[in-house]
């Protein structure tokens, strides 16, 4: 009897895990219809009879992004917004350009794991594990090297060379989302109270005011 209860307990646990994952597509494709009247988790499907090759196509990823900005990098996305045919397929792509010593600042993707490949240049990359360990895992990458950033963890890249660098990254979501830590903490709208941030970072409130003025 006890073994039967154990068997059913394991079965229920397995079913719970399976049901908690995203469902597999039930048709060949579900091209996103951004003007669809139905609100769903993702995008409503375009009429399959109206689907065309351009729904699965994007041109221009070979073009370098403009890195003339304070962080010295530019992310060019290829997700469901740019390619409607990615809807429900659980994958997307980005090109990242880095000026010399440019950075892709610490950020997270709340809905995706990322696998990054260096196309040109040399990058220092890393991610930080969750509380309470908060361990920095970092590595220097050369052309052709690959690195993985687990879903939800804070991660970054920095060009440590004296020439431009380029990377291509794939993400396990049609819409991975991005939360840049500095922007979200110091540039939210409305702003997080400065006294709360001063206490969190253990600094004078004037320092928080100065940092918030940058965002």
């Amino acid at each position: 009897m006890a073994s039967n209860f154990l068997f059913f307990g394991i079965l229920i646990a397995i079913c719970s895990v399976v049901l908690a994952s995203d469902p597999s597509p039930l048709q060949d494709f579900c091209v996103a219809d951004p003007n669809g009247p139905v609100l769903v988790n993702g995008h409503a499907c375009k009429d399959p009879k109206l689907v065309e090759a351009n729904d699965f196509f994007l041109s221009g990823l070979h073009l370098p992004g403009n890195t003339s900005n304070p962080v010295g990098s530019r992310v060019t996305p290829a997700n469901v917004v740019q390619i409607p045919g990615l809807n429900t397929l659980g994958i997307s792509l980005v090109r990242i350009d880095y000026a010399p010593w440019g950075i892709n600042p610490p950020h997270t993707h709340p809905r995706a794991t990322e696998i990054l490949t260096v196309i040109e240049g040399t990058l220092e990359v890393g991610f930080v594990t969750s509380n309470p360990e908060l361990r920095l895992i970092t590595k220097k990458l050369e052309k052709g090297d690959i690195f993985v950033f687990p879903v939800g963890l804070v991660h970054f890249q920095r060009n440590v060379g004296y020439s431009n660098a380029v990377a291509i990254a794939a993400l396990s979501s049609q819409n991975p989302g991005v939360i840049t830590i500095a922007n979200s903490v110091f540039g939210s709208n409305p702003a997080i109270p400065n006294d709360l941030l001063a206490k969190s970072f253990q600094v004078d409130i004037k320092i928080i005011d100065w940092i918030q003025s940058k965002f």
Side-chain angles (χ1 to χ4, degrees):
M1 180 67 71
S3 61
N4 288 338
F5 281 120
L6 178 61
F7 170 78
F8 284 115
I10 294 172
L11 184 62
I12 290 170
I14 293 172
C15 290
S16 298
V17 171
V18 171
L19 292 175
S21 65
D22 290 336
S24 299
L26 300 178
Q27 60 266 343
D28 290 342
F29 48 77
C30 172
V31 172
D33 181 3
N35 300 315
V38 180
L39 298 178
V40 296
N41 182 21
H43 295 277
C45 298
K46 182 178 181 179
D47 184 342
K49 296 182 180 64
L50 302 178
V51 168
E52 56 187 13
N54 281 341
D55 291 321
F56 302 91
F57 173 79
L58 177 67
S59 179
L61 210 62
H62 64 293
L63 299 173
N66 183 1
T67 58
S68 299
N69 55 62
V71 297
S73 71
R74 176 71 62 184
V75 177
T76 303
N79 58 41
V80 70
V81 175
Q82 292 78 32
I83 309 175
L86 287 176
N87 193 37
T88 76
L89 299 184
I91 193 169
S92 60
L93 197 73
V94 295
R95 170 182 171 138
I96 314 170
D97 289 272
Y98 311 83
W101 298 98
I103 65 169
N104 189 9
H107 62 281
T108 73
H109 300 293
R111 296 180 289 274
T113 290
E114 176 180 348
I115 182 167
L116 177 143
T117 305
V118 179
I119 305 301
E120 293 290 345
T122 303
L123 296 180
E124 174 190 8
V125 304
F127 64 84
V128 180
T129 62
S130 56
N131 296 358
E133 187 182 31
L134 297 174
R135 183 160 66 103
L136 174 62
I137 296 176
T138 185
K139 192 167 181 63
K140 185 177 179 181
L141 305 182
E142 304 288 351
K143 181 177 179 178
D145 289 345
I146 295 173
F147 199 80
V148 174
F149 304 107
V151 58
L153 296 187
V154 175
H155 60 282
F156 62 88
Q157 303 104 39
R158 175 168 63 173
N159 180 2
V160 292
Y162 292 94
S163 59
N164 293 336
V166 181
I168 295 289
L171 299 109
S172 61
S173 171
Q174 67 184 43
N175 182 25
V178 60
I179 301 171
T180 305
I181 306 306
N183 297 57
S184 61
V185 172
F186 296 108
S188 66
N189 184 22
I192 298 175
N194 55 4
D195 60 323
L196 186 153
L197 291 177
K199 190 169 185 178
S200 298
F201 287 94
Q202 296 295 289
V203 296
D204 189 272
I205 198 168
K206 292 181 180 179
I207 295 177
I208 298 298
D209 291 339
W210 178 76
I211 296 176
Q212 285 181 322
S213 72
K214 302 294 182 181
F215 294 91

